[in-house]
Amino acid sequence: MPNQKFAKNSVTIMTEMVLPNDTNTLNNLMGGRLMHWMDIVAAIAAQKHCNRIVVTASADSISFKQPINLGNVVTLRSQVTRAFNSSMEVFIEVTAEDIPANKKIMTHRAFFTFVAVDQLGNPISVPPIEPETDLEKQRFDGALRRRQLALILAGKMKPEEATELKKLFLPEGN
């Protein structure tokens, strides 16, 4: 098993400015452009964690809280929350800043999953994560529940095998 790493070592921050070519007819950032940026910043965090080529496996739980306007400065922050065998969950948080108005708001959050691959594209093991802060521990614990739910929805796990989800919904002993 590869040596364990700390979640903080994967932190990646990317900054973009919303230009006219990035916007829809309402002069807001197009969702597809934002998801492209999110995929890039999350992939970099995953690569920093495992020092391998990574491929996107899923983009889950993208919540669009606020529109991002033309001219806003967008900051995307990503961090690996948990590593499994060859996959890693990455949390992304997006903020938009209207610099002339001195306003900054959190606009989007998401969890993406990446798989580390070798030169032939075959999955390869990744180092485990050691969460340190309370927030890192909370996201680490939640990652297993999110993974089990995704596996159930994909038909790759039976609901009765989802031990972490059962703890949430069934009383002790069932």
Side-chain angles (χ1 to χ4, degrees):
M1 173 70 58
N3 293 335
Q4 122 180 341
K5 292 186 172 182
F6 295 104
K8 67 183 175 192
N9 295 334
S10 68
V11 170
T12 302
I13 298 171
M14 186 170 101
T15 305
E16 299 282 346
M17 178 175 269
V18 180
L19 300 173
N21 196 45
D22 301 321
T23 63
N24 59 25
T25 53
L26 298 173
N27 282 327
N28 292 325
L29 178 63
M30 288 184 287
R33 175 79 75 205
L34 178 61
M35 288 188 286
H36 171 79
W37 292 343
M38 293 170 92
D39 193 38
I40 292 169
V41 75
I44 293 169
Q47 283 187 345
K48 285 168 96 173
H49 175 70
C50 67
N51 298 105
R52 295 289 186 169
I53 297 167
V54 299
V55 294
T56 309
S58 69
D60 300 323
S61 306
I62 300 173
S63 58
F64 293 85
K65 297 187 181 304
Q66 297 283 333
I68 298 174
N69 303 314
L70 175 65
N72 281 174
V73 173
V74 179
T75 302
L76 301 98
R77 183 185 187 280
S78 62
Q79 181 175 9
V80 175
T81 59
R82 189 161 183 166
F84 296 96
N85 296 324
S86 60
S87 67
M88 295 154 283
E89 181 190 75
V90 180
F91 175 73
I92 305 112
E93 187 168 69
V94 180
T95 57
E97 186 172 9
D98 180 342
I99 294 175
N102 198 28
K103 291 174 111 178
K104 187 175 185 176
I105 58 169
M106 194 286 296
T107 61
H108 300 77
R109 288 187 173 136
F111 290 97
F112 282 32
T113 301
F114 290 85
V115 175
V117 296
D118 63 17
Q119 296 299 329
L120 299 175
N122 298 310
I124 191 165
S125 64
V126 298
I129 281 275
E130 176 66 35
E132 297 176 284
T133 68
D134 288 342
L135 183 57
E136 287 173 355
K137 290 173 185 176
Q138 178 184 357
R139 289 182 181 153
F140 179 90
D141 291 341
L144 183 54
R145 292 187 292 272
R146 288 185 290 275
R147 182 174 192 252
Q148 287 183 351
L149 181 58
L151 290 171
I152 290 169
L153 294 173
K156 296 179 180 179
M157 176 184 267
K158 294 178 183 174
E160 57 271 15
E161 296 170 351
T163 56
E164 292 302 304
L165 293 177
K166 285 166 90 174
K167 289 178 190 175
L168 288 177
F169 296 109
L170 298 175
E172 291 287 325
N174 288 349

